[in-house]
Amino acid sequence: MDKILVTGGLGFIGSHTVVELQNSGYEVVIIDDLSNSSIDILDRITTITGIRPQFEQLDLKEKTKVSSFFKNHNDIKGIIHFAASKAVGESVENPLMYYENNINTLVYVLQELKKLDHANFIFSSSCTVYGQADELPITENAPVKKAESPYGNTKQIGEEIISDTCKVNPKLKSIALRYFNPIGAHDSANIGELPIGVPQNLVPFITQTAIGLRDQLSVFGNDYPTPDGTCIRDYIHVVDLAKAHVVALERLLQNKNESNYETFNLGTGKGSSVLEVIQSFERVSGQKLNYKIADRRAGDVIAAYADTSKANNELGWKAQLTLDDAMKSAWKWEQNIRKNA
């Protein structure tokens, strides 16, 4: 049974990926500093899979602790690196925090991987690396433009760091997965997106507004050059996304990768506007949502959705779940956590 390290493994995408890894027979070790997650997610993962992952509370910014962790776990076969701050708006307001948290931690982990005989590394990247793309849908060959936010820039820099490291270290095999917009929750309603404080992402703000935790949802701008004037994104169900990580990991473990650094877009291939997401929620929940149109938000691109043919063809992975599936699961999760709060 291969041992896999998941950094940020109690976060939104990380916890769903841990579940899929365990369901596929991997032994999982989680590192998380609990800055934007909760320790009770460990129990929730255990409830779903029947297996309790190993867990270490560790801040990856502390280099000596990262080093001692790898000394104690030198049998790790693969690393999936989620640990990072992830809110576009917050990164615009506090860029230095984002550079320290997202870049330093990546460097410290890669420095430890240099010491291993073989290392398989999957990086949690983002479609923000493309900025406002010239053409839609966006392929992996689209130019990486100047980032619209410090968050997006940390993903660009992160990819460059990994690519440069792979060039000089043939023992390191890496895949950068460029996510579009992950939403939804596990069908059990045991894990889902649970932001600390005011949500920075659309869907948890929708569900928190519907359940009465927020007074009103703000739609940032309705004057974009899109069919209904609101921004368009490619919203992918988090369970589909989690399964893609397992497939990517297996590609590395089975030496099926074509080079030791590869990139793949992960999305549905379809764009949905903010208003379409709201309509989907209202349709599956039967709730009328209280929302208003507000000013545009700094750092937002107009439209972004994926060309997923590379992931479909080379990874053999395709998103299976719909926008309605995702909204239904997100609402079920929101109701479950508030009921048990």
Side-chain angles (χ1 to χ4, degrees), residues 59-208:
D59 185 343
L60 292 173
K61 294 194 295 294
E62 297 184 45
K63 188 175 181 178
T64 52
K65 291 186 177 177
V66 176
S67 198
S68 62
F69 171 86
F70 276 93
K71 282 196 185 90
N72 295 332
H73 294 274
N74 58 9
D75 55 343
I76 285 168
K77 291 289 193 295
I79 295 95
I80 303 180
H81 183 61
F82 293 107
S85 302
K86 63 174 188 174
V88 168
E90 184 183 53
S91 78
V92 173
E93 293 164 12
N94 197 346
L96 289 180
M97 181 184 89
Y98 270 68
Y99 288 118
E100 181 185 31
N101 204 34
N102 294 7
I103 302 301
N104 292 11
T105 54
L106 171 64
V107 169
Y108 297 159
V109 171
L110 290 173
Q111 284 173 336
E112 294 307 315
L113 299 192
K114 269 174 62 178
K115 303 170 188 174
L116 302 178
D117 287 338
H118 292 283
N120 300 294
F121 186 78
I122 292 173
F123 180 58
S124 168
S125 191
S126 165
C127 66
T128 56
V129 300
Y130 299 116
Q132 181 59 67
D134 295 327
E135 293 180 20
L136 296 171
I138 301 168
T139 73
E140 288 82 357
N141 296 323
V144 171
K145 293 185 168 185
K146 180 171 171 54
E148 299 273 339
S149 68
Y151 164 73
N153 201 26
T154 66
K155 292 303 181 183
Q156 290 182 359
I157 295 166
E159 286 196 15
E160 289 168 3
I161 289 167
I162 298 162
S163 173
D164 289 344
T165 307
C166 285
K167 282 173 192 165
V168 296
N169 181 5
K171 295 185 297 185
L172 175 63
K173 294 184 297 181
S174 184
I175 290 175
L177 297 176
R178 293 170 174 169
Y179 319 151
F180 281 67
N181 290 65
I183 59 170
H186 193 267
D187 199 46
S188 65
N190 271 307
I191 55 173
E193 192 168 7
L194 188 58
I196 292 171
V198 179
Q200 301 282 334
N201 294 334
L202 175 62
V203 172
F205 215 114
I206 286 175
T207 57
Q208 288 191 13

Side-chain angles (χ1 to χ4, degrees), residues 9 15 39 51 137 144 177 202-203 220 222 229 248 252 260 293 308 326 331:
S15 59
I39 190 64
I51 304 160
V144 171
L177 297 176
L202 175 62
V203 172
F220 296 110
N222 68 342
L252 296 179
N260 71 329
I293 305 300
T308 60
W331 180 231

Side-chain angles (χ1 to χ4, degrees), residues 39-56:
I39 190 64
D40 78 309
I41 300 300
L42 201 57
D43 294 331
R44 292 172 174 276
I45 291 169
T46 309
T47 300
I48 294 168
T49 64
I51 304 160
R52 191 172 187 83
Q54 292 181 57
F55 172 70
E56 290 211 25

